[in-house]
Short mmCIF file of all heavy atoms in Angstrom, two decimals:
data_model
loop_
_atom_site.label_atom_id
_atom_site.label_comp_id
_atom_site.label_asym_id
_atom_site.label_seq_id
_atom_site.Cartn_x
_atom_site.Cartn_y
_atom_site.Cartn_z
N GLU A 393 100.52 184.13 119.76
CA GLU A 393 99.99 182.76 119.68
C GLU A 393 101.10 181.71 119.62
O GLU A 393 100.98 180.71 120.30
CB GLU A 393 99.05 182.64 118.41
CG GLU A 393 98.39 181.30 118.31
CD GLU A 393 97.57 181.19 117.01
OE1 GLU A 393 97.40 182.18 116.37
OE2 GLU A 393 97.01 180.08 116.71
N ARG A 394 102.13 182.04 118.88
CA ARG A 394 103.22 181.03 118.76
C ARG A 394 104.02 180.96 120.05
O ARG A 394 104.34 179.89 120.52
CB ARG A 394 104.17 181.45 117.69
CG ARG A 394 105.33 180.49 117.37
CD ARG A 394 104.77 179.15 117.06
NE ARG A 394 105.96 178.22 116.78
CZ ARG A 394 105.80 176.89 116.51
NH1 ARG A 394 104.57 176.43 116.49
NH2 ARG A 394 106.83 176.21 116.29
N LEU A 395 104.16 182.05 120.79
CA LEU A 395 104.85 181.99 122.10
C LEU A 395 104.00 181.24 123.13
O LEU A 395 104.52 180.52 123.88
CB LEU A 395 105.08 183.51 122.59
CG LEU A 395 106.17 184.27 121.94
CD1 LEU A 395 105.99 185.71 122.33
CD2 LEU A 395 107.49 183.70 122.21
N CYS A 396 102.72 181.35 123.02
CA CYS A 396 101.87 180.50 123.90
C CYS A 396 102.05 179.01 123.55
O CYS A 396 102.11 178.22 124.52
CB CYS A 396 100.37 180.94 123.69
SG CYS A 396 99.90 182.53 124.39
N HIS A 397 102.18 178.73 122.30
CA HIS A 397 102.40 177.40 121.87
C HIS A 397 103.77 176.85 122.40
O HIS A 397 103.80 175.68 123.01
CB HIS A 397 102.33 177.22 120.33
CG HIS A 397 102.47 175.86 119.89
ND1 HIS A 397 101.44 174.97 119.70
CD2 HIS A 397 103.55 175.16 119.39
CE1 HIS A 397 101.86 173.81 119.27
NE2 HIS A 397 103.15 173.92 119.08
N LEU A 398 104.76 177.65 122.23
CA LEU A 398 106.09 177.25 122.70
C LEU A 398 106.15 177.10 124.25
O LEU A 398 106.80 176.15 124.73
CB LEU A 398 107.14 178.23 122.28
CG LEU A 398 107.40 178.34 120.78
CD1 LEU A 398 108.45 179.52 120.50
CD2 LEU A 398 107.86 177.09 120.16
N ARG A 399 105.43 177.98 124.87
CA ARG A 399 105.41 177.92 126.40
C ARG A 399 104.81 176.60 126.83
O ARG A 399 105.23 175.96 127.85
CB ARG A 399 104.58 179.05 126.87
CG ARG A 399 104.38 179.14 128.39
CD ARG A 399 103.22 180.07 128.76
NE ARG A 399 101.98 179.65 128.15
CZ ARG A 399 100.91 180.35 128.07
NH1 ARG A 399 100.88 181.63 128.52
NH2 ARG A 399 99.73 179.89 127.59
N ASP A 400 103.81 176.11 126.17
CA ASP A 400 103.05 174.97 126.63
C ASP A 400 103.34 173.66 125.97
O ASP A 400 102.80 172.58 126.34
CB ASP A 400 101.56 175.23 126.38
CG ASP A 400 101.01 176.50 127.09
OD1 ASP A 400 101.62 176.84 128.17
OD2 ASP A 400 100.00 177.15 126.65
N ASP A 401 104.27 173.69 125.07
CA ASP A 401 104.51 172.52 124.23
C ASP A 401 105.58 171.58 124.91
O ASP A 401 106.73 171.94 125.10
CB ASP A 401 105.09 172.88 122.80
CG ASP A 401 105.18 171.67 121.89
OD1 ASP A 401 104.97 170.59 122.29
OD2 ASP A 401 105.51 171.90 120.68
N PRO A 402 105.17 170.35 125.31
CA PRO A 402 106.07 169.50 126.01
C PRO A 402 107.27 169.00 125.10
O PRO A 402 108.30 168.56 125.66
CB PRO A 402 105.28 168.36 126.50
CG PRO A 402 104.11 168.28 125.46
CD PRO A 402 103.88 169.70 125.15
N ILE A 403 107.11 169.15 123.80
CA ILE A 403 108.25 168.79 122.94
C ILE A 403 109.34 169.76 122.86
O ILE A 403 110.44 169.47 122.42
CB ILE A 403 107.67 168.43 121.53
CG1 ILE A 403 108.42 167.36 120.80
CG2 ILE A 403 107.64 169.72 120.66
CD1 ILE A 403 107.76 166.84 119.55
N GLU A 404 109.08 170.98 123.34
CA GLU A 404 110.03 172.07 123.37
C GLU A 404 110.98 171.96 124.45
O GLU A 404 110.76 171.25 125.44
CB GLU A 404 109.25 173.50 123.40
CG GLU A 404 110.15 174.60 123.24
CD GLU A 404 110.91 174.67 121.97
OE1 GLU A 404 110.36 174.91 120.89
OE2 GLU A 404 112.09 174.29 122.08
N THR A 405 112.20 172.56 124.19
CA THR A 405 113.22 172.53 125.28
C THR A 405 112.80 173.43 126.52
O THR A 405 112.06 174.37 126.27
CB THR A 405 114.58 173.06 124.77
OG1 THR A 405 114.49 174.46 124.48
CG2 THR A 405 115.02 172.32 123.50
N ALA A 406 113.34 173.05 127.65
CA ALA A 406 112.95 173.82 128.89
C ALA A 406 113.32 175.31 128.78
O ALA A 406 112.56 176.15 129.23
CB ALA A 406 113.61 173.17 130.03
N GLU A 407 114.46 175.60 128.14
CA GLU A 407 114.96 177.00 128.06
C GLU A 407 114.01 177.82 127.19
O GLU A 407 113.74 178.97 127.52
CB GLU A 407 116.36 177.05 127.62
CG GLU A 407 117.06 178.41 127.82
CD GLU A 407 118.50 178.41 127.37
OE1 GLU A 407 118.95 177.45 126.71
OE2 GLU A 407 119.20 179.39 127.77
N VAL A 408 113.62 177.29 126.01
CA VAL A 408 112.75 178.01 125.14
C VAL A 408 111.38 178.17 125.84
O VAL A 408 110.75 179.35 125.77
CB VAL A 408 112.63 177.33 123.82
CG1 VAL A 408 111.57 177.97 122.88
CG2 VAL A 408 113.99 177.34 123.10
N ARG A 409 110.91 177.16 126.44
CA ARG A 409 109.60 177.32 127.07
C ARG A 409 109.63 178.41 128.20
O ARG A 409 108.70 179.15 128.31
CB ARG A 409 109.21 175.98 127.80
CG ARG A 409 108.90 174.84 126.80
CD ARG A 409 108.45 173.58 127.42
NE ARG A 409 107.13 173.68 128.07
CZ ARG A 409 106.49 172.75 128.75
NH1 ARG A 409 107.15 171.58 128.93
NH2 ARG A 409 105.37 172.95 129.26
N ALA A 410 110.73 178.45 128.94
CA ALA A 410 110.90 179.44 129.98
C ALA A 410 110.92 180.85 129.33
O ALA A 410 110.37 181.82 129.89
CB ALA A 410 112.07 179.17 130.79
N ALA A 411 111.66 180.97 128.22
CA ALA A 411 111.78 182.32 127.60
C ALA A 411 110.42 182.75 127.07
O ALA A 411 110.09 183.98 127.23
CB ALA A 411 112.78 182.18 126.48
N ALA A 412 109.62 181.84 126.48
CA ALA A 412 108.31 182.17 126.05
C ALA A 412 107.42 182.63 127.17
O ALA A 412 106.62 183.66 127.10
CB ALA A 412 107.70 181.05 125.30
N LEU A 413 107.51 181.91 128.32
CA LEU A 413 106.72 182.37 129.49
C LEU A 413 107.11 183.63 129.99
O LEU A 413 106.20 184.45 130.23
CB LEU A 413 106.96 181.27 130.57
CG LEU A 413 106.36 181.48 131.97
CD1 LEU A 413 104.84 181.58 131.86
CD2 LEU A 413 106.81 180.48 132.97
N THR A 414 108.35 183.93 130.03
CA THR A 414 108.81 185.23 130.57
C THR A 414 108.40 186.35 129.63
O THR A 414 107.99 187.43 130.07
CB THR A 414 110.38 185.29 130.65
OG1 THR A 414 110.75 184.25 131.60
CG2 THR A 414 110.86 186.56 131.15
#
Side-chain angles (χ1 to χ4, degrees):
E393 181 181 356
R394 183 60 177 175
L395 286 168
C396 289
H397 182 84
L398 294 176
R399 177 197 62 194
D400 300 332
D401 189 355
I403 212 169
E404 186 53 82
T405 67
E407 192 174 14
V408 174
R409 293 182 68 182
L413 173 64
T414 300

